mmCIF file of all heavy atoms in Angstrom:
data_model
loop_
_atom_site.group_PDB
_atom_site.id
_atom_site.type_symbol
_atom_site.label_atom_id
_atom_site.label_comp_id
_atom_site.label_asym_id
_atom_site.label_seq_id
_atom_site.Cartn_x
_atom_site.Cartn_y
_atom_site.Cartn_z
ATOM 1 N N TYR A 228 137.305 86.298 2.704
ATOM 2 C CA TYR A 228 136.653 87.187 3.666
ATOM 3 C C TYR A 228 137.647 87.670 4.708
ATOM 4 O O TYR A 228 137.713 88.865 5.022
ATOM 5 C CB TYR A 228 135.487 86.459 4.336
ATOM 6 C CG TYR A 228 134.681 87.307 5.297
ATOM 7 C CD1 TYR A 228 133.811 88.268 4.812
ATOM 8 C CD2 TYR A 228 134.788 87.137 6.670
ATOM 9 C CE1 TYR A 228 133.045 89.045 5.675
ATOM 10 C CE2 TYR A 228 134.048 87.922 7.544
ATOM 11 C CZ TYR A 228 133.175 88.865 7.047
ATOM 12 O OH TYR A 228 132.440 89.645 7.910
ATOM 13 N N ALA A 229 138.445 86.757 5.245
ATOM 14 C CA ALA A 229 139.461 87.124 6.242
ATOM 15 C C ALA A 229 140.448 88.128 5.642
ATOM 16 O O ALA A 229 140.887 89.079 6.317
ATOM 17 C CB ALA A 229 140.182 85.898 6.748
ATOM 18 N N ALA A 230 140.804 87.927 4.372
ATOM 19 C CA ALA A 230 141.749 88.838 3.713
ATOM 20 C C ALA A 230 141.171 90.217 3.533
ATOM 21 O O ALA A 230 141.891 91.212 3.388
ATOM 22 C CB ALA A 230 142.169 88.256 2.381
ATOM 23 N N GLY A 231 139.831 90.330 3.537
ATOM 24 C CA GLY A 231 139.184 91.623 3.344
ATOM 25 C C GLY A 231 139.317 92.556 4.522
ATOM 26 O O GLY A 231 139.107 93.750 4.356
ATOM 27 N N GLY A 232 139.571 92.037 5.708
ATOM 28 C CA GLY A 232 139.819 92.917 6.852
ATOM 29 C C GLY A 232 139.016 92.701 8.113
ATOM 30 O O GLY A 232 139.390 93.239 9.161
ATOM 31 N N PRO A 233 137.890 91.953 8.109
ATOM 32 C CA PRO A 233 137.169 91.743 9.380
ATOM 33 C C PRO A 233 138.071 91.108 10.435
ATOM 34 O O PRO A 233 138.783 90.145 10.139
ATOM 35 C CB PRO A 233 136.029 90.794 8.983
ATOM 36 C CG PRO A 233 135.768 91.137 7.543
ATOM 37 C CD PRO A 233 137.142 91.390 6.970
ATOM 38 N N ALA A 234 138.024 91.677 11.635
ATOM 39 C CA ALA A 234 138.977 91.265 12.672
ATOM 40 C C ALA A 234 138.397 90.293 13.670
ATOM 41 O O ALA A 234 139.135 89.760 14.532
ATOM 42 C CB ALA A 234 139.465 92.515 13.424
ATOM 43 N N ASP A 235 137.114 90.005 13.560
ATOM 44 C CA ASP A 235 136.481 89.055 14.492
ATOM 45 C C ASP A 235 135.307 88.415 13.809
ATOM 46 O O ASP A 235 134.907 88.792 12.718
ATOM 47 C CB ASP A 235 136.030 89.768 15.785
ATOM 48 C CG ASP A 235 135.065 90.921 15.529
ATOM 49 O OD1 ASP A 235 133.979 90.687 14.960
ATOM 50 O OD2 ASP A 235 135.387 92.063 15.891
ATOM 51 N N ASP A 236 134.718 87.422 14.467
ATOM 52 C CA ASP A 236 133.491 86.794 13.959
ATOM 53 C C ASP A 236 132.792 86.098 15.099
ATOM 54 O O ASP A 236 133.424 85.536 16.003
ATOM 55 C CB ASP A 236 133.823 85.796 12.841
ATOM 56 C CG ASP A 236 132.554 85.320 12.127
ATOM 57 O OD1 ASP A 236 131.584 86.087 12.088
ATOM 58 O OD2 ASP A 236 132.511 84.182 11.638
ATOM 59 N N HIS A 237 131.470 86.130 15.069
ATOM 60 C CA HIS A 237 130.654 85.523 16.111
ATOM 61 C C HIS A 237 129.672 84.518 15.536
ATOM 62 O O HIS A 237 128.815 84.002 16.259
ATOM 63 C CB HIS A 237 129.857 86.591 16.861
ATOM 64 C CG HIS A 237 129.001 87.412 15.942
ATOM 65 N ND1 HIS A 237 129.474 88.525 15.272
ATOM 66 C CD2 HIS A 237 127.715 87.269 15.531
ATOM 67 C CE1 HIS A 237 128.517 89.005 14.513
ATOM 68 N NE2 HIS A 237 127.432 88.250 14.628
ATOM 69 N N GLU A 238 129.751 84.210 14.251
ATOM 70 C CA GLU A 238 128.750 83.370 13.595
ATOM 71 C C GLU A 238 129.095 81.880 13.583
ATOM 72 O O GLU A 238 128.384 81.081 12.997
ATOM 73 C CB GLU A 238 128.498 83.844 12.166
ATOM 74 C CG GLU A 238 127.705 85.135 12.087
ATOM 75 C CD GLU A 238 126.298 84.987 12.654
ATOM 76 O OE1 GLU A 238 125.759 83.881 12.645
ATOM 77 O OE2 GLU A 238 125.729 86.019 13.088
ATOM 78 N N GLY A 239 130.192 81.498 14.210
ATOM 79 C CA GLY A 239 130.534 80.091 14.266
ATOM 80 C C GLY A 239 129.577 79.309 15.158
ATOM 81 O O GLY A 239 129.053 79.850 16.140
#
Side-chain angles (χ1 to χ4, degrees):
Y228 184 74
D235 58 59
D236 190 29
H237 57 273
E238 286 296 335

